[in-house]
Amino acid sequence: MSTSTEQNTVRWYGEGYPSADPAGIHQVLSRLDQPCYVVSGPQGLGAVAGGTAAAGGDGPAVLAAVPALPPQRLGSAAFRAAHGVRQAYMAGAMAGGIASVELVTALARQGFLASFGAAGLLPGTIAKALARFAEEIPGLPYAVNLIHSPSEQRLERDAVQLFLDHGVRCVEASAYLDLTAHLVRYRLAGLRSGPSGEVVAENRIIAKVSRAETAERFMRPAPAALVETLLRDGLITGEQARLAHLVPLADDITAEADSGGHTDRRPLPALLPVILRIRDTIQREHRYARPVRVGAAGGLGTPAAVAGAFAMGAAYVVTGSVNQSCLESGTSRAAREVLAQADVTDCVMAPAADMFEMGVELQVLRRGSMFPMRASQLYRLYQTYDGIEALPEKERRRLETQVFQRPLDDVWQECVEYFSRRDPDQLSRAADNPRRRMALVFRWYLGMSSRWAVTGLTERSADFQIWCGPAMGSFNSWVSGSYLNTPGNRTVADVAHHLMRGAAFHTRTAQLRTAGLTLPSAAAEYVPVPLETAGATAVTS
């Protein structure tokens, strides 16, 4: 083995050896674009990057070797090719524009996929974002979130129409309990026959799911009944209806584990293998030309977690909470600073505004906020009483002074003005239904609390609703002591690069452990340093 250059210098380590060099071992492992050899010699164990290893003779004996592993090789090459990205990494949508235009464009320019948080936004706001994408990142990949809205179907319908009008080619579908005609229309409207008779699906769907039965619905072709309805209504062509049974509804399925926002809090090691087996079963049945890819989300806040997801077979990884603490996110500085202090145990479930009446919950940050407790109290009142008028006077006064901080009658008038513009059907359904009116009033608080967090309204900081999963606390623990510990230094591109580089690094250390080798703890942990400090290799490898 040549040891004549710095790159090929053996870095020795081993307990009791005065020449032990854990920092040098770490440097060797960090050369992701070079193979790494672990050798044994008179000075103990050592590691060397690159060079030509040869056992025998007077040189060190090679004990183990790991190949070069730049982060571009992690995950599925098919995912990278389908979406036109350099790495199998995606920043998932965070509703209300928290996954902002700036966040999406910053990642697109670095070769990553990101999903714009269109959920909860009015069509005009979404249209402005789509126009910016066309102007600022023409030809670069991006996705837009389409959230299941069982209580506001008009929003889902209008969003799909916008996507089709603006030529949006990738949608991240989330919170779906069942398939809808609007979602199916988006997929089928992009079907056509290729020059060799193959099916071309121009409109791609990435479905984020946490239940096996939901995953299966997305992995199968669109339901025949919905296809027939869309054809009858003139929303798809006869050719598109004919091609519908040849492709799955979704190209990619994200197995969403314990995450921020809508989540079933499933452990990823339990959920991902189940979804992968379902995919394999359905592929044997349908023999799709391009099998559905399965990615992983939830709890991915450290390189070790990302490496674990890839090791379990994930085609790609999706991050969420950690991006919300970055400078490009659409939330306030106050919210970002609170997120940067979060611990793994600082998350709790609370009622969701968009599915309040159904009792659906989402995961939020409880640190520094009374929102989780107050939102849960509102849901208990909704279950107990038949309307605002039925509330005990003492309970009503408490709500008006502590929670809403205004008369409930005034809140109702705001609801009338809001839904008159957004979805008048909501008001029609509540006209003769006191309990429905109470639900809309209570949803006002749930909706405004997330808005207060986004705008950083100081006087309502005790009511901030910040969607967050335990990955945030895990990330904060990992970057403690590094430059990323400061919220002002966190950018989505830096976080993405470090998570993927660190995942490749941890994959190599895991391969060495599998070979029976033990590395010094100081050499086996990936610590983020500024990319310009790390040098060109950190950016390109």
Side-chain angles (χ1 to χ4, degrees):
M1 175 183 294
S2 170
T3 60
S4 60
T5 67
E6 175 67 20
Q7 175 175 297
N8 296 329
T9 298
V10 177
R11 306 292 187 172
W12 299 102
Y13 70 96
E15 187 175 353
Y17 291 96
S19 59
D21 183 13
I25 301 297
H26 188 280
Q27 185 181 48
V28 168
L29 290 169
S30 297
R31 296 183 181 276
L32 301 175
D33 58 340
Q34 296 288 331
C36 172
Y37 303 96
V38 175
V39 299
S40 175
Q43 294 175 275
L45 300 180
V48 61
T52 302
D58 297 328
V62 177
L63 301 181
V66 292
L69 186 62
Q72 292 94 325
R73 294 185 189 172
L74 294 173
S76 165
F79 177 88
R80 298 191 294 270
H83 297 284
V85 294
R86 292 197 291 271
Q87 299 192 37
Y89 176 102
M90 177 180 178
M94 293 170 284
I98 294 175
S100 64
V101 171
E102 291 76 14
L103 184 153
V104 173
T105 55
L107 286 172
R109 288 168 179 156
Q110 291 293 313
F112 299 105
L113 183 64
S115 179
F116 174 64
L121 300 180
L122 293 173
T125 304
I126 299 174
K128 291 178 181 177
L130 298 180
R132 286 187 59 186
F133 292 142
E135 179 181 351
E136 297 176 23
I137 50 171
L140 293 181
Y142 69 91
V144 182
N145 183 220
L146 180 66
I147 194 167
H148 184 35
S149 303
S151 61
E152 297 182 87
Q153 293 190 37
R154 176 182 174 182
L155 290 180
E156 190 177 333
R157 181 197 67 200
D158 291 349
V160 166
Q161 187 62 58
L162 266 178
F163 300 160
L164 296 176
D165 291 344
H166 285 261
V168 173
R169 292 306 184 195
C170 185
V171 155
E172 183 190 29
S174 60
Y176 275 82
L177 304 174
D178 202 354
L179 304 181
T180 67
H182 312 302
L183 178 66
V184 173
R185 178 195 175 197
Y186 172 79
R187 174 63 161 177
L188 301 191
L191 296 184
R192 61 179 176 83
S193 295
S196 302
E198 75 279 12
V199 182
V200 177
E202 294 182 326
N203 294 343
R204 303 184 304 278
I205 290 179
I206 302 173
K208 190 159 55 178
V209 305
S210 57
R211 300 185 181 187
E213 62 273 18
T214 308
E216 183 169 352
R217 293 188 186 104
F218 277 102
M219 291 177 183
R220 294 189 178 278
L226 289 178
V227 175
E228 292 173 5
T229 298
L230 292 169
L231 180 61
R232 184 185 66 238
D233 294 343
L235 297 174
I236 60 173
T237 67
E239 181 188 24
Q240 289 164 346
R242 178 180 61 81
L243 298 175
H245 75 282
L246 299 176
V247 294
L249 186 62
D251 304 274
D252 301 280
I253 301 291
T254 303
E256 183 183 26
D258 194 359
S259 61
H262 287 288
T263 179
D264 285 330
R265 306 183 92 176
R266 303 278 195 266
L268 187 62
L271 177 65
L272 182 58
V274 172
I275 304 298
L276 287 169
R277 281 194 294 271
I278 293 172
R279 186 275 310 274
D280 294 341
T281 298
I282 293 177
Q283 177 61 25
R284 286 193 294 269
E285 177 185 343
H286 286 276
R287 300 184 181 276
Y288 297 129
R290 288 173 290 278
V292 175
R293 298 173 292 268
V294 177
L300 304 183
T302 65
V306 173
F310 283 125
M312 285 191 292
Y316 59 97
V317 293
V318 180
T319 57
S321 298
V322 297
N323 301 315
Q324 191 174 189
S325 72
C326 293
L327 291 173
E328 299 92 343
S329 81
T331 197
S332 64
R333 177 178 179 179
R336 292 198 298 270
E337 290 177 348
V338 173
L339 285 161
Q341 300 169 20
D343 199 352
V344 173
T345 58
D346 283 338
C347 300
V348 67
M349 300 298 289
D354 55 347
M355 301 183 191
F356 177 77
E357 297 93 322
M358 301 168 64
V360 174
E361 294 186 318
L362 40 67
Q363 189 159 211
V364 298
L365 190 67
R366 66 179 170 187
R367 173 184 285 266
S369 176
M370 299 184 70
F371 167 79
M373 178 186 69
R374 289 175 171 174
S376 297
Q377 290 174 346
L378 291 179
Y379 186 68
R380 286 195 293 271
L381 292 174
Y382 172 75
Q383 289 181 305
T384 305
Y385 299 100
D386 291 330
I388 296 293
E389 297 76 12
L391 290 173
E393 183 60 27
K394 180 179 178 180
E395 196 66 66
R396 179 165 180 154
R397 284 200 307 271
R398 184 187 66 81
L399 293 178
E400 292 181 333
T401 57
Q402 297 180 16
V403 180
F404 291 86
Q405 299 184 16
R406 66 182 62 191
L408 294 183
D409 289 340
D410 291 354
V411 175
W412 170 243
Q413 287 306 311
E414 284 196 27
C415 291
V416 170
E417 295 172 7
Y418 176 77
F419 284 110
S420 294
R421 300 190 307 271
R422 178 183 178 113
D423 190 359
D425 182 58
Q426 297 284 333
L427 300 176
S428 301
R429 292 162 56 195
D432 298 315
N433 189 333
R435 199 157 182 267
R436 176 68 181 162
R437 290 198 297 273
M438 178 168 66
L440 294 181
V441 169
F442 287 178
R443 284 172 55 188
W444 178 94
Y445 172 76
L446 302 182
M448 291 301 295
S449 60
S450 61
R451 184 63 185 165
W452 295 328
V454 167
T455 60
L457 188 63
T458 305
E459 57 266 34
R460 296 310 301 256
S461 61
D463 293 280
F464 280 4
Q465 178 187 173
I466 302 175
W467 303 309
C468 181
M472 190 73 255
S474 184
F475 177 87
N476 289 334
S477 176
W478 167 52
V479 302
S480 177
S482 78
Y483 83 107
L484 289 180
N485 187 59
T486 303
N489 290 336
R490 297 182 182 183
T491 68
V492 287
D494 267 19
V495 168
H497 278 299
H498 283 306
L499 285 174
M500 291 294 284
R501 277 187 52 81
F505 178 92
H506 279 280
T507 298
R508 302 222 298 178
T509 62
Q511 290 169 341
L512 291 175
R513 286 196 299 272
T514 301
L517 298 172
T518 301
L519 296 171
S521 59
E525 177 67 23
Y526 179 88
V527 178
V529 297
L531 295 179
E532 59 271 19
T533 302
T537 302
V539 178
T540 61
S541 64

